[in-house]
Amino acid sequence: MTNNQQRAEILVQALPYIQKYNGKIVCVKYGGNAMINEDLKVSVMRDIVLLSLVGVKVVLIHGGGPEITQMLSRIGKKSEFVGGLRVTDRETADVVQMVLSGKINKGLVNLLESIGGKSIGLCGMDGHLIQARPLKEELGYVGEIVQTNVQPILDVLRMGYIPVVSTVGCDMEGNTYNINADTAAARIAGELGAECMVTMTDIEGVLRDKDDPTTLIKVIRLSEIPELTQTGVLCGGMIPKVQCCVDAVERGVKKVFIIDGRVPHAALIELLTDEGIGTMICA
Amino acid sequence: MTNNQQRAEILVQALPYIQKYNGKIVCVKYGGNAMINEDLKVSVMRDIVLLSLVGVKVVLIHGGGPEITQMLSRIGKKSEFVGGLRVTDRETADVVQMVLSGKINKGLVNLLESIGGKSIGLCGMDGHLIQARPLKEELGYVGEIVQTNVQPILDVLRMGYIPVVSTVGCDMEGNTYNINADTAAARIAGELGAECMVTMTDIEGVLRDKDDPTTLIKVIRLSEIPELTQTGVLCGGMIPKVQCCVDAVERGVKKVFIIDGRVPHAALIELLTDEGIGTMICA
Amino acid sequence: MTNNQQRAEILVQALPYIQKYNGKIVCVKYGGNAMINEDLKVSVMRDIVLLSLVGVKVVLIHGGGPEITQMLSRIGKKSEFVGGLRVTDRETADVVQMVLSGKINKGLVNLLESIGGKSIGLCGMDGHLIQARPLKEELGYVGEIVQTNVQPILDVLRMGYIPVVSTVGCDMEGNTYNINADTAAARIAGELGAECMVTMTDIEGVLRDKDDPTTLIKVIRLSEIPELTQTGVLCGGMIPKVQCCVDAVERGVKKVFIIDGRVPHAALIELLTDEGIGTMICA
Amino acid sequence: MTNNQQRAEILVQALPYIQKYNGKIVCVKYGGNAMINEDLKVSVMRDIVLLSLVGVKVVLIHGGGPEITQMLSRIGKKSEFVGGLRVTDRETADVVQMVLSGKINKGLVNLLESIGGKSIGLCGMDGHLIQARPLKEELGYVGEIVQTNVQPILDVLRMGYIPVVSTVGCDMEGNTYNINADTAAARIAGELGAECMVTMTDIEGVLRDKDDPTTLIKVIRLSEIPELTQTGVLCGGMIPKVQCCVDAVERGVKKVFIIDGRVPHAALIELLTDEGIGTMICA
Amino acid sequence: MTNNQQRAEILVQALPYIQKYNGKIVCVKYGGNAMINEDLKVSVMRDIVLLSLVGVKVVLIHGGGPEITQMLSRIGKKSEFVGGLRVTDRETADVVQMVLSGKINKGLVNLLESIGGKSIGLCGMDGHLIQARPLKEELGYVGEIVQTNVQPILDVLRMGYIPVVSTVGCDMEGNTYNINADTAAARIAGELGAECMVTMTDIEGVLRDKDDPTTLIKVIRLSEIPELTQTGVLCGGMIPKVQCCVDAVERGVKKVFIIDGRVPHAALIELLTDEGIGTMICA
Amino acid sequence: MTNNQQRAEILVQALPYIQKYNGKIVCVKYGGNAMINEDLKVSVMRDIVLLSLVGVKVVLIHGGGPEITQMLSRIGKKSEFVGGLRVTDRETADVVQMVLSGKINKGLVNLLESIGGKSIGLCGMDGHLIQARPLKEELGYVGEIVQTNVQPILDVLRMGYIPVVSTVGCDMEGNTYNINADTAAARIAGELGAECMVTMTDIEGVLRDKDDPTTLIKVIRLSEIPELTQTGVLCGGMIPKVQCCVDAVERGVKKVFIIDGRVPHAALIELLTDEGIGTMICA
């Protein structure tokens, strides 16, 4: 067998997986550390263009990460924290909006287009798709979602573009809010009736022993969450992340995958091969 | 006659103008100082939503202005100048992109939506709508347009949204470029086959004597430009601005209006009343 | 502020009202004395073209009035009356049909077209949209509605025309009937699921004291009708007119306005300003 | 063979003719004496509904005839004549419009609907489809066509209705004109790119000897017209009628049939059998 | 009356019947002896093209008959029988498929096209429209229907073709099955929500006395079937045939006609005249 | 790197090739010995379903091969030969039609459907897509193409099915013809404006020395054909095969590939990898 025969063989083995997701909406939540490595980012975008070409309706929802902090420090902005959350004044909210919607969002769009994808970048202001209000008064422009309007995402998909969404929220007074990207992704995936949501993070998934990658839990059913929380398997930053996954499943998303964005082609492996490489949360 | 009868009478008098632009594409170039006054901005957005509701396909193309300079100074960036143009390094280009596509663009979208319009914000990266290359090597990421792809604008119009476009360009290597907004607006208006382009600026129009507002030239035909330049009527910053208008007309736009964005409802007055309030350039 | 700025300001103030009715069906019942004054008629047609251009789906339903009587007298036809209603023999019914569907209907269409509207004139025979039977045998071809088929109106709207409807009914035997225009308008508005119905008449609205225009009742809820009838506020010709409004509301029309067609632009004032100039009947 | 087998056999023999006209536009000009006999009228309408059901896009264009004269005499109107043409003052024009567009047009629509057809009645004012001006000043509102806009007819066809057209013209000042129906039919058929036009009249067709029905000329080519005129075969009222047919052919209609409307099912016989029953005029 | 007038008269008499079936789906089950006579076959295809041209959505479902037996004997295949049914081994199933889907099906398509129809031939494998499993193990590839997917038939109709369906079934392992054509037709007609099913056979219909054609039962209601079976009126091969008709009615087909395919134009007579020439089964 | 990462990597490497053929028509000519091996056939069908899922509009055109000969011998039919071509009498033509359109065509459809493709099988009779006449009188029903009508193929593609086409021709008299599959494929590919045609055969491609596979000619331009023929590189059965490829290129197909159908996934390797495994013929 020549090398190319093996390649062709591998393409053909992806057939049943392609058929499974063909014409379905898949939300990919992408952010944080998985976004830093430039090569990895290109690789993730290739995966998304490929998924889109084989007929999957991919919606890319992204967060921000270090670039926001970097920019805030660049302008000499000191942040106060209340209960672990950064107090977001007007100026900070503006920086969040600029970095998320102007730099990261359009940068991802540009990358997708350079690879040959067709893409349009949206944020919560476009078509007022994320309507928000203050989460707590003392936190300023940290927002919680009041309502989502996913019509602009559906419109952009219908016209054949890959929608890239940054999770900046807005209200009717023209204020903008910093919205937690995991929360927004879960909400949007639910409203879109997505077949699945893929959360790309920088851990292997949920580990029974967080120091031992061989203890990866492959599947978690909603009913198992309370026990996993009580026994401390779910702890720290993993708790809100899993909570968002639960939220998505409860809003009707069939499966949510927490996968390791540092693994090249993690999304493709999860969706188009027989290997589950992270943790799947389902009803 | 009651007050409201007069109002109704005025609405009805707009009828022939509404009929004239109904279903036609009108590009509004908005930027610079006309954008600073917050009340004026709301008023301009109201005009645009109104035009859109009476069946005009408005495309809002905006520049940046003082917010870019402000942000650059905020991060302590000193700019070099070559031949009067700011040398744009990678970091400066990033700031331009963030401020234009992230802050101003989405801010305008947010405003339009708050007033009840339906809007999506685009930049030159979305659908690779403005493809650019360096204007001069020594200027860094100051770009000139290689090609435009107005399909995303047409798609967004067809779906019933008001497209708001920031004129950041891109190339296939993932670089972004600062593009002169007047130049880009002229090019895009031409490609769209716009009925007219309205350039909102902060002067009354072209004045025969620049210190005397009563010497406003109401109509300039392409053939009169050379003489107006030779005699110095067109001079300074007005020359490139008028050149963009000429470019638009040569690309097929029927009429270009240079109007004073500081006058409340200037666009409405120009388009929906019998008064021409600025300078019209046509073939 | 120049004159045209005021005009533009007024256009913009109509924005929320335009947004409210955009894409909605509004039935305008027009007839009787409001139709006699030629200038007023032109003004009403302008209002309708304007409403149609700002995205309202206007359906104009008209009655006849003096022109029928005039024509009957012209041919020397004497009418008998039973219980206040004109006995309508075959020849009278023919005159009604000719005047309504041939003269008034097409005259209104012609006027709308001359102003720049697109219009098609229909009567109850087109697409058999008003199917009728004799109201009382002794009245001859005075009809009551058996069934309406509003599909032709919807088709004509969908093609972008303003439907003008004269309320002549028909049956399967080829007979034609004179149908009360208020009754027909209420029925049609209900079947169309109209947002509102505007009844243009030649009085100010419902007055508490019919000789004192300052006693206009601005809003009547269905529940208040019995009391208003008992106390004699509703009396004479107003009773059947209000009954038609009640009928429309009960068939699902949200609001019915009785307005004074002699006031220039009464419909525009009612729909596109903050002033309610007549009486509104609602659930 | 049973009777019904013969019937079925006859249906099947119509197959090639149905295939020939399927999806094509056929204009039927109907009027004058052929319209008087009530039974015959029903029979003609049946033919039209049948043609429409077998996929022919029939456009019925009608004239007026005796009913106009009758109505004029009923109101005691005396007509002056200039050069054989009735001087048409405003009042006469109104009567023409009422009788044509109100009585005859809607009566035909009603008949078509009663037989199970779907029909909408139009006149030259609807969508301003016949725009006219005075033919000669001294004739008043006798009009000649300036322009036709057949879009409303195409729209009505596309929605699945049989358009019935009365040939009353209009101008932008709101005047209405009496237009010769043969002339208008030829013009409209040409603009519609009709496959053929069928002119139903009350003679057998063009006869070589007008007193001998056996001398029917089956086919006349345009090139033969001059000779037929010189030799007096074409004379009197036949000259303008044939001229309209010539006009239609010159505007692109492939064939024009002059047939005897007094023969039951003349149109069906002409179009759906192997028998040509009148005179065909073609290029 | 000339001959052609009579023809036209007959066409017009078909009008109400055409209107009744216009736009409705009619399944014609055609097969067995009715298919042998070459002239009769052409006549049946003409009827189908005619029905299709007058707006009926005809679906032609056919069986096989003598050509299969002939081919089996030609290749020297001897068949075993179990309980009166032919044991169908792989080779026999292949012959059935070839003769039905390759010869008869495409032959009918060819005939329809030659007459001027537009047609596409389908079998149970196309779009997996008939999914089957073995009826009884000992019978080999004699199939019973597990599921039907009528989407390909609807798609082919929507594109304007007459679908011709041969009732060969398939399973997911790539096996093909011989399916009783009456059973399949009933099932498909039900799934399609057909207005009626016409079963063309080689008897007059259901006879009360099978030797006396004058005892034809014109209408059988479902409720009468048991008694007709008990009294032996329904017997032999008629029982399963009627059972299929009952099945179709129970699946929602309004009327099923058993008609004599040897009578020229039997289907047209049944559908487009006032004569019921066979037996109608309905609820 | 895990195994699945390699798989994902390989999927991604196919991206530019997928983008190249996305939305384009690709005709695959499949037949003869490449069709015999059952495993290979499944593998080819998998390739086609995969190509169809990644957005290529695949049209599968097949020939017959040994099954026809086998069936003819099974029925004891002896064939005469004239000039190397089999004389095709009516009975032989029937067998060809049955085997091609009934067995092989529907078998391929069944296989595609079992793998999860959507497919409809067509032959030259469906929509009269291959209209033919006798090639030479003495050869009987061996046909040459008179005209092709590719509309049914386009319709079937538009509805989302993979069209499978057997190259049996027909004429208006109802005769069927055996058409050379290579010839028909070239003609159809040309009419469809196919991006490329892939001819799957059972040789490595065109070899400079037919006994030495290492002498494969990778690219042949039209201009090189004469020399290759003169020098005997092209000889025997390769001459007509190459002639068909030339025909396709001259009819506008950009590239024709002659590839070895015995190599697993030959089509995928040719289209979706950087390896050209056969001979490419182009302008």
Side-chain angles (χ1 to χ4, degrees), chain B residues 5, chain C residues 30-46 64-67 70 104 107-108 111 115 200-202 260-265:
Chain B
Q5 251 177 292
Chain C
Y30 180 55
N33 294 314
M35 216 185 242
I36 296 171
N37 182 307
E38 213 43 47
D39 286 351
L40 207 48
K41 191 153 75 178
V42 172
S43 152
V44 171
M45 293 307 114
R46 280 231 173 77
E67 287 190 74
Q70 212 173 308
I104 300 177
L108 292 172
L111 207 44
I115 296 163
M200 303 189 79
T201 179
D202 56 355
D260 188 346
R262 298 164 309 181
V263 175
H265 308 304

Side-chain angles (χ1 to χ4, degrees), chain A residues 7-244:
Chain A
R7 286 160 179 275
E9 182 58 40
I10 283 163
L11 286 170
V12 165
Q13 283 163 10
L15 196 52
Y17 303 97
I18 292 175
Q19 289 172 326
K20 184 173 162 193
Y21 288 108
N22 196 266
K24 301 283 168 47
I25 293 178
V26 169
C27 286
V28 176
K29 159 66 198 14
Y30 180 56
N33 293 314
M35 216 186 244
I36 297 171
N37 181 306
E38 214 41 48
D39 285 351
L40 206 50
K41 192 152 77 179
V42 172
S43 151
V44 171
M45 292 308 115
R46 280 230 171 77
D47 293 4
I48 282 168
V49 172
L50 183 75
L51 286 170
S52 135
L53 269 173
V54 303
V56 185
K57 292 177 177 168
V58 191
V59 177
L60 180 59
I61 300 163
H62 66 87
E67 288 190 73
I68 292 170
T69 316
Q70 213 173 307
M71 195 63 196
L72 285 173
S73 102
R74 198 80 169 79
I75 65 166
K77 186 83 188 177
K78 293 257 182 318
S79 300
E80 235 184 300
F81 285 80
V82 170
L85 284 167
R86 188 199 306 263
V87 176
T88 302
D89 59 9
R90 190 62 268 143
E91 191 179 36
T92 305
D94 278 359
V95 167
V96 168
Q97 176 184 334
M98 275 195 295
V99 173
L100 280 184
S101 311
K103 179 118 197 300
I104 299 177
N105 184 275
K106 297 302 183 182
L108 292 173
V109 165
N110 203 12
L111 206 46
L112 288 169
E113 286 274 342
S114 301
I115 296 163
K118 280 178 62 187
S119 176
I120 280 180
L122 302 171
C123 74
M125 276 95 105
D126 295 287
H128 266 193
L129 80 85
I130 305 174
Q131 291 149 40
R133 68 178 158 220
L135 181 62
K136 283 184 188 163
E137 214 176 311
E138 62 271 34
L139 290 172
Y141 294 101
V142 173
E144 70 173 355
I145 298 176
V146 177
Q147 201 183 340
T148 59
N149 166 29
V150 295
Q151 194 56 49
I153 297 178
L154 293 171
D155 285 339
V156 162
L157 279 172
R158 189 162 42 84
M159 293 188 306
Y161 297 89
I162 302 167
V164 178
V165 182
S166 71
T167 60
V168 177
C170 62
D171 64 17
M172 293 307 283
E173 277 72 50
N175 298 308
T176 59
Y177 296 87
N178 188 5
I179 308 276
N180 178 275
D182 288 312
T183 310
R187 182 76 174 251
I188 288 169
E191 293 284 329
L192 286 168
E195 182 71 13
C196 74
M197 177 168 97
V198 176
T199 298
M200 305 190 76
T201 180
D202 56 354
I203 50 166
E204 288 84 354
V206 180
L207 303 178
R208 205 161 277 280
D209 171 352
K210 75 181 169 51
D211 299 323
D212 180 359
T214 68
T215 64
L216 178 75
I217 308 182
K218 293 248 168 190
V219 180
I220 301 178
R221 304 197 162 272
L222 288 199
S223 57
E224 300 163 10
I225 305 276
E227 205 217 311
L228 289 170
T229 312
Q230 276 182 321
T231 57
V233 172
L234 293 176
C235 62
M238 192 42 99
I239 291 181
K241 201 165 265 297
V242 166
Q243 192 47 50
C244 289

